[in-house]
Amino acid sequence: MIHDQPAVNATRVLAGLLESRTGQQIAPSRYWRIQTALAPVLKDAGIPDLEAMVAVLLDGENEHLLQKSLEAMLNNESFFFRDVATFSAIRGQVLPHLRELRKARRAIRIWCAGCSTGQEPLSLAMMIRDDAAVWQGWNVEIVGTDISETALAKARSGRFSQFEIQRGLSVDLMLKHFEQDGEEWIVNPDIHRLVTFKQENILRPGSVSGPFDLVLCRNVLMYFAPETRHIAYSRIARSIAPDGLLVLGSAETVIGQTEIFETNPAIRGTYLPVLQAS
């Protein structure tokens, strides 16, 4: 807990910088996370405390340090096949639905927004490979985006620790889709090549363009303020096919949040675009 007023003020400024640059909010009750996350950054930069950090960041000449600080404060929690029920629905209902819709062109595009260190899109790639027979002759494109270049560098490397590889993966899947290299596990090339990773801020126009047939934006919007969430929904709506599907986190919903998407009565936990945002 942060008690002295200068540190509280500094933490509030840092939380404001995080929200203005990334959209992600940190509640005052969790300001302790900022001090914990920035401790290594302070040490590396030789900066004594948060008040001094704010002074350095606000002088306008330290964009690199600001980016490093923002990335340290971001919540990059991720693991393979996070929320088993969601991935079960994607495999059993969502992907078969999309195969039927796109059987004429035999191609689908999937966007994982806020993919962090890559476990979500790689989980989808494993799913596609495990069902190779039904995807024979199809072009499946998976794009993973995140605002953190540090997280994306890890995703692009395809290297995960023993702890990370065990979160969500059975031993069978570990041995099937990864190779062990000392203390790390490396995803097999046939999985990794299915995913393209790009740096992208979901709140701003970027290099990733639609239309996508399936968009996963899970456990991202829950950290946004309502007005910021609206911007994100509008961006997704511009990038999704008119008959495409949106999947949010298990604790997220469009109900009461936006009129751009509506619940899909056919597949629980998915959402349909009502209109394309202008």
Side-chain angles (χ1 to χ4, degrees):
M1 185 70 67
I2 302 171
H3 295 290
D4 58 293
Q5 195 57 45
V8 170
N9 292 339
T11 306
R12 187 178 296 118
V13 171
L14 290 164
L17 284 171
L18 179 68
E19 183 174 2
S20 66
R21 294 290 290 263
T22 72
Q24 191 171 117
Q25 287 185 315
I26 296 180
S29 62
R30 294 182 62 80
Y31 275 177
W32 58 267
R33 274 193 56 233
I34 294 177
Q35 191 169 42
T36 301
L38 290 180
V41 180
L42 290 170
K43 183 178 179 180
D44 290 346
I47 298 175
D49 50 39
L50 294 180
E51 301 95 280
M53 167 73 85
V54 168
V56 170
L57 293 181
L58 293 182
D59 73 3
E61 299 295 328
N62 290 283
E63 182 63 27
H64 176 73
L65 182 59
L66 174 58
Q67 186 63 31
K68 187 175 181 180
S69 302
L70 293 174
E71 293 201 3
M73 289 187 286
L74 285 169
N75 184 347
N76 285 319
E77 170 73 3
S78 184
F79 53 90
F80 292 101
F81 293 98
R82 184 178 186 180
D83 191 346
V84 173
T86 295
F87 276 94
S88 178
I90 290 173
R91 187 173 198 169
Q93 296 177 273
V94 173
L95 291 179
H97 171 75
L98 291 175
R99 281 200 304 271
E100 181 64 24
L101 286 180
R102 302 294 183 255
K103 61 184 178 182
R105 76 177 194 218
R106 297 176 74 81
I108 65 167
R109 302 184 72 219
I110 302 172
W111 177 22
C112 295
C115 73
S116 186
T117 46
Q119 284 93 323
E120 179 179 84
L122 290 174
S123 296
L124 292 173
M126 283 183 254
M127 192 181 292
I128 296 294
R129 283 299 182 200
D130 285 343
D131 291 337
V134 300
W135 295 107
Q136 184 68 35
W138 281 71
N139 179 26
V140 179
E141 179 186 0
I142 304 173
V143 179
T145 66
D146 200 88
I147 196 171
S148 171
E149 187 55 53
T150 301
L152 289 173
K154 182 175 181 63
R156 293 186 184 111
S157 76
R159 287 178 169 267
F160 299 91
S161 68
Q162 183 74 37
F163 173 75
E164 291 167 328
I165 206 73
Q166 289 178 321
R167 296 188 72 194
L169 288 180
S170 66
V171 173
D172 287 345
L173 286 177
M174 287 169 56
L175 297 177
K176 182 177 183 180
H177 296 303
F178 291 79
E179 293 289 336
Q180 190 169 11
D181 181 22
E183 298 296 315
E184 294 182 313
W185 291 75
I186 308 171
V187 65
N188 289 342
D190 65 328
I191 299 298
H192 207 249
R193 70 170 62 101
L194 284 176
V195 185
T196 301
F197 293 103
K198 296 184 178 182
Q199 186 177 31
E200 183 95 328
N201 186 338
I202 196 172
L203 301 178
R204 300 172 186 168
S207 58
V208 174
S209 60
F212 289 96
D213 305 295
L214 174 63
V215 176
L216 281 73
C217 186
R218 303 193 306 143
N219 308 303
V220 175
L221 303 183
M222 61 191 294
Y223 296 108
F224 289 5
E227 59 273 15
T228 310
R229 204 174 296 137
H230 177 75
I231 296 172
Y233 277 126
S234 297
R235 169 71 197 287
I236 294 170
R238 288 193 294 270
S239 302
I240 199 168
D243 56 353
L245 298 178
L246 169 65
V247 176
L248 301 176
S250 58
E252 298 170 312
T253 181
V254 303
I255 299 173
Q257 305 293 324
T258 180
E259 296 180 354
I260 298 175
F261 288 90
E262 62 183 357
T263 57
N264 179 6
I267 304 178
R268 183 178 179 181
T270 65
Y271 303 93
L272 298 163
V274 175
L275 51 86
Q276 295 296 301
S278 59

PDB file of all heavy atoms in Angstrom, residues 255-272:
ATOM      1  N   ILE A 255     -23.797  -6.441 -23.623  1.00  0.00           N
ATOM      2  CA  ILE A 255     -25.075  -5.984 -23.085  1.00  0.00           C
ATOM      3  C   ILE A 255     -24.860  -4.772 -22.180  1.00  0.00           C
ATOM      4  O   ILE A 255     -24.095  -4.826 -21.212  1.00  0.00           O
ATOM      5  CB  ILE A 255     -25.774  -7.116 -22.310  1.00  0.00           C
ATOM      6  CG1 ILE A 255     -26.051  -8.301 -23.235  1.00  0.00           C
ATOM      7  CG2 ILE A 255     -27.078  -6.612 -21.688  1.00  0.00           C
ATOM      8  CD1 ILE A 255     -26.589  -9.533 -22.526  1.00  0.00           C
ATOM      9  N   GLY A 256     -25.517  -3.679 -22.517  1.00  0.00           N
ATOM     10  CA  GLY A 256     -25.368  -2.452 -21.751  1.00  0.00           C
ATOM     11  C   GLY A 256     -24.079  -1.708 -22.011  1.00  0.00           C
ATOM     12  O   GLY A 256     -23.812  -0.687 -21.374  1.00  0.00           O
ATOM     13  N   GLN A 257     -23.258  -2.208 -22.944  1.00  0.00           N
ATOM     14  CA  GLN A 257     -21.970  -1.602 -23.235  1.00  0.00           C
ATOM     15  C   GLN A 257     -21.925  -0.926 -24.603  1.00  0.00           C
ATOM     16  O   GLN A 257     -21.229   0.068 -24.786  1.00  0.00           O
ATOM     17  CB  GLN A 257     -20.865  -2.673 -23.185  1.00  0.00           C
ATOM     18  CG  GLN A 257     -20.799  -3.451 -21.887  1.00  0.00           C
ATOM     19  CD  GLN A 257     -20.386  -2.598 -20.714  1.00  0.00           C
ATOM     20  OE1 GLN A 257     -19.554  -1.705 -20.849  1.00  0.00           O
ATOM     21  NE2 GLN A 257     -20.973  -2.849 -19.562  1.00  0.00           N
ATOM     22  N   THR A 258     -22.627  -1.489 -25.569  1.00  0.00           N
ATOM     23  CA  THR A 258     -22.579  -0.968 -26.933  1.00  0.00           C
ATOM     24  C   THR A 258     -23.808  -1.417 -27.702  1.00  0.00           C
ATOM     25  O   THR A 258     -24.424  -2.442 -27.373  1.00  0.00           O
ATOM     26  CB  THR A 258     -21.309  -1.470 -27.665  1.00  0.00           C
ATOM     27  OG1 THR A 258     -21.292  -0.944 -28.996  1.00  0.00           O
ATOM     28  CG2 THR A 258     -21.273  -2.987 -27.741  1.00  0.00           C
ATOM     29  N   GLU A 259     -24.171  -0.649 -28.724  1.00  0.00           N
ATOM     30  CA  GLU A 259     -25.254  -1.036 -29.623  1.00  0.00           C
ATOM     31  C   GLU A 259     -24.705  -1.507 -30.963  1.00  0.00           C
ATOM     32  O   GLU A 259     -25.454  -1.805 -31.889  1.00  0.00           O
ATOM     33  CB  GLU A 259     -26.214   0.143 -29.836  1.00  0.00           C
ATOM     34  CG  GLU A 259     -26.920   0.576 -28.552  1.00  0.00           C
ATOM     35  CD  GLU A 259     -27.862   1.745 -28.773  1.00  0.00           C
ATOM     36  OE1 GLU A 259     -27.874   2.293 -29.900  1.00  0.00           O
ATOM     37  OE2 GLU A 259     -28.591   2.102 -27.833  1.00  0.00           O
ATOM     38  N   ILE A 260     -23.398  -1.579 -31.073  1.00  0.00           N
ATOM     39  CA  ILE A 260     -22.755  -1.973 -32.322  1.00  0.00           C
ATOM     40  C   ILE A 260     -22.778  -3.497 -32.496  1.00  0.00           C
ATOM     41  O   ILE A 260     -22.794  -4.003 -33.611  1.00  0.00           O
ATOM     42  CB  ILE A 260     -21.306  -1.448 -32.362  1.00  0.00           C
ATOM     43  CG1 ILE A 260     -21.312   0.078 -32.309  1.00  0.00           C
ATOM     44  CG2 ILE A 260     -20.568  -1.916 -33.604  1.00  0.00           C
ATOM     45  CD1 ILE A 260     -19.928   0.696 -32.212  1.00  0.00           C
ATOM     46  N   PHE A 261     -22.793  -4.219 -31.357  1.00  0.00           N
ATOM     47  CA  PHE A 261     -22.862  -5.677 -31.385  1.00  0.00           C
ATOM     48  C   PHE A 261     -24.064  -6.149 -30.578  1.00  0.00           C
ATOM     49  O   PHE A 261     -24.521  -5.469 -29.660  1.00  0.00           O
ATOM     50  CB  PHE A 261     -21.585  -6.294 -30.813  1.00  0.00           C
ATOM     51  CG  PHE A 261     -20.377  -6.154 -31.696  1.00  0.00           C
ATOM     52  CD1 PHE A 261     -19.551  -5.036 -31.579  1.00  0.00           C
ATOM     53  CD2 PHE A 261     -20.080  -7.105 -32.653  1.00  0.00           C
ATOM     54  CE1 PHE A 261     -18.438  -4.891 -32.393  1.00  0.00           C
ATOM     55  CE2 PHE A 261     -18.972  -6.968 -33.473  1.00  0.00           C
ATOM     56  CZ  PHE A 261     -18.157  -5.868 -33.346  1.00  0.00           C
ATOM     57  N   GLU A 262     -24.550  -7.357 -30.929  1.00  0.00           N
ATOM     58  CA  GLU A 262     -25.649  -7.956 -30.190  1.00  0.00           C
ATOM     59  C   GLU A 262     -25.329  -9.421 -29.921  1.00  0.00           C
ATOM     60  O   GLU A 262     -24.487 -10.023 -30.591  1.00  0.00           O
ATOM     61  CB  GLU A 262     -26.953  -7.850 -30.991  1.00  0.00           C
ATOM     62  CG  GLU A 262     -26.920  -8.591 -32.315  1.00  0.00           C
ATOM     63  CD  GLU A 262     -28.191  -8.401 -33.122  1.00  0.00           C
ATOM     64  OE1 GLU A 262     -29.112  -7.741 -32.613  1.00  0.00           O
ATOM     65  OE2 GLU A 262     -28.252  -8.927 -34.252  1.00  0.00           O
ATOM     66  N   THR A 263     -25.984  -9.988 -28.926  1.00  0.00           N
ATOM     67  CA  THR A 263     -25.750 -11.393 -28.608  1.00  0.00           C
ATOM     68  C   THR A 263     -26.206 -12.277 -29.760  1.00  0.00           C
ATOM     69  O   THR A 263     -27.155 -11.961 -30.468  1.00  0.00           O
ATOM     70  CB  THR A 263     -26.490 -11.796 -27.325  1.00  0.00           C
ATOM     71  OG1 THR A 263     -27.890 -11.511 -27.492  1.00  0.00           O
ATOM     72  CG2 THR A 263     -25.961 -11.037 -26.130  1.00  0.00           C
ATOM     73  N   ASN A 264     -25.505 -13.386 -29.931  1.00  0.00           N
ATOM     74  CA  ASN A 264     -25.822 -14.341 -30.991  1.00  0.00           C
ATOM     75  C   ASN A 264     -26.635 -15.483 -30.382  1.00  0.00           C
ATOM     76  O   ASN A 264     -26.097 -16.284 -29.613  1.00  0.00           O
ATOM     77  CB  ASN A 264     -24.524 -14.878 -31.601  1.00  0.00           C
ATOM     78  CG  ASN A 264     -24.776 -15.885 -32.700  1.00  0.00           C
ATOM     79  OD1 ASN A 264     -25.899 -16.122 -33.111  1.00  0.00           O
ATOM     80  ND2 ASN A 264     -23.707 -16.506 -33.184  1.00  0.00           N
ATOM     81  N   PRO A 265     -27.928 -15.574 -30.698  1.00  0.00           N
ATOM     82  CA  PRO A 265     -28.759 -16.617 -30.079  1.00  0.00           C
ATOM     83  C   PRO A 265     -28.363 -18.025 -30.507  1.00  0.00           C
ATOM     84  O   PRO A 265     -28.670 -18.990 -29.815  1.00  0.00           O
ATOM     85  CB  PRO A 265     -30.169 -16.267 -30.554  1.00  0.00           C
ATOM     86  CG  PRO A 265     -29.979 -15.493 -31.820  1.00  0.00           C
ATOM     87  CD  PRO A 265     -28.696 -14.734 -31.633  1.00  0.00           C
ATOM     88  N   ALA A 266     -27.669 -18.145 -31.635  1.00  0.00           N
ATOM     89  CA  ALA A 266     -27.318 -19.470 -32.161  1.00  0.00           C
ATOM     90  C   ALA A 266     -26.111 -20.077 -31.464  1.00  0.00           C
ATOM     91  O   ALA A 266     -26.017 -21.296 -31.311  1.00  0.00           O
ATOM     92  CB  ALA A 266     -27.066 -19.384 -33.658  1.00  0.00           C
ATOM     93  N   ILE A 267     -25.144 -19.218 -31.059  1.00  0.00           N
ATOM     94  CA  ILE A 267     -23.927 -19.725 -30.419  1.00  0.00           C
ATOM     95  C   ILE A 267     -23.677 -18.897 -29.166  1.00  0.00           C
ATOM     96  O   ILE A 267     -23.272 -17.726 -29.246  1.00  0.00           O
ATOM     97  CB  ILE A 267     -22.713 -19.645 -31.361  1.00  0.00           C
ATOM     98  CG1 ILE A 267     -22.990 -20.397 -32.669  1.00  0.00           C
ATOM     99  CG2 ILE A 267     -21.478 -20.229 -30.673  1.00  0.00           C
ATOM    100  CD1 ILE A 267     -21.858 -20.316 -33.666  1.00  0.00           C
ATOM    101  N   ARG A 268     -23.904 -19.492 -28.035  1.00  0.00           N
ATOM    102  CA  ARG A 268     -23.755 -18.794 -26.760  1.00  0.00           C
ATOM    103  C   ARG A 268     -22.325 -18.281 -26.584  1.00  0.00           C
ATOM    104  O   ARG A 268     -21.361 -18.962 -26.925  1.00  0.00           O
ATOM    105  CB  ARG A 268     -24.105 -19.740 -25.618  1.00  0.00           C
ATOM    106  CG  ARG A 268     -24.066 -19.094 -24.248  1.00  0.00           C
ATOM    107  CD  ARG A 268     -24.472 -20.087 -23.184  1.00  0.00           C
ATOM    108  NE  ARG A 268     -24.423 -19.483 -21.861  1.00  0.00           N
ATOM    109  CZ  ARG A 268     -24.702 -20.126 -20.737  1.00  0.00           C
ATOM    110  NH1 ARG A 268     -25.063 -21.399 -20.776  1.00  0.00           N
ATOM    111  NH2 ARG A 268     -24.620 -19.498 -19.571  1.00  0.00           N
ATOM    112  N   GLY A 269     -22.220 -17.050 -26.085  1.00  0.00           N
ATOM    113  CA  GLY A 269     -20.904 -16.473 -25.827  1.00  0.00           C
ATOM    114  C   GLY A 269     -20.274 -15.791 -27.018  1.00  0.00           C
ATOM    115  O   GLY A 269     -19.127 -15.355 -26.948  1.00  0.00           O
ATOM    116  N   THR A 270     -21.028 -15.681 -28.117  1.00  0.00           N
ATOM    117  CA  THR A 270     -20.528 -14.969 -29.292  1.00  0.00           C
ATOM    118  C   THR A 270     -21.456 -13.801 -29.605  1.00  0.00           C
ATOM    119  O   THR A 270     -22.618 -13.785 -29.195  1.00  0.00           O
ATOM    120  CB  THR A 270     -20.418 -15.886 -30.522  1.00  0.00           C
ATOM    121  OG1 THR A 270     -21.732 -16.333 -30.916  1.00  0.00           O
ATOM    122  CG2 THR A 270     -19.540 -17.081 -30.218  1.00  0.00           C
ATOM    123  N   TYR A 271     -20.923 -12.848 -30.370  1.00  0.00           N
ATOM    124  CA  TYR A 271     -21.676 -11.625 -30.666  1.00  0.00           C
ATOM    125  C   TYR A 271     -21.598 -11.306 -32.144  1.00  0.00           C
ATOM    126  O   TYR A 271     -20.586 -11.596 -32.815  1.00  0.00           O
ATOM    127  CB  TYR A 271     -21.122 -10.456 -29.824  1.00  0.00           C
ATOM    128  CG  TYR A 271     -21.159 -10.765 -28.353  1.00  0.00           C
ATOM    129  CD1 TYR A 271     -20.044 -11.322 -27.715  1.00  0.00           C
ATOM    130  CD2 TYR A 271     -22.294 -10.546 -27.590  1.00  0.00           C
ATOM    131  CE1 TYR A 271     -20.060 -11.638 -26.370  1.00  0.00           C
ATOM    132  CE2 TYR A 271     -22.326 -10.851 -26.244  1.00  0.00           C
ATOM    133  CZ  TYR A 271     -21.213 -11.390 -25.622  1.00  0.00           C
ATOM    134  OH  TYR A 271     -21.248 -11.715 -24.289  1.00  0.00           O
ATOM    135  N   LEU A 272     -22.665 -10.693 -32.638  1.00  0.00           N
ATOM    136  CA  LEU A 272     -22.775 -10.350 -34.053  1.00  0.00           C
ATOM    137  C   LEU A 272     -22.758  -8.845 -34.236  1.00  0.00           C
ATOM    138  O   LEU A 272     -23.346  -8.114 -33.422  1.00  0.00           O
ATOM    139  CB  LEU A 272     -24.087 -10.899 -34.632  1.00  0.00           C
ATOM    140  CG  LEU A 272     -24.268 -12.420 -34.610  1.00  0.00           C
ATOM    141  CD1 LEU A 272     -25.745 -12.770 -34.806  1.00  0.00           C
ATOM    142  CD2 LEU A 272     -23.405 -13.053 -35.696  1.00  0.00           C
TER     143      LEU A 272
END
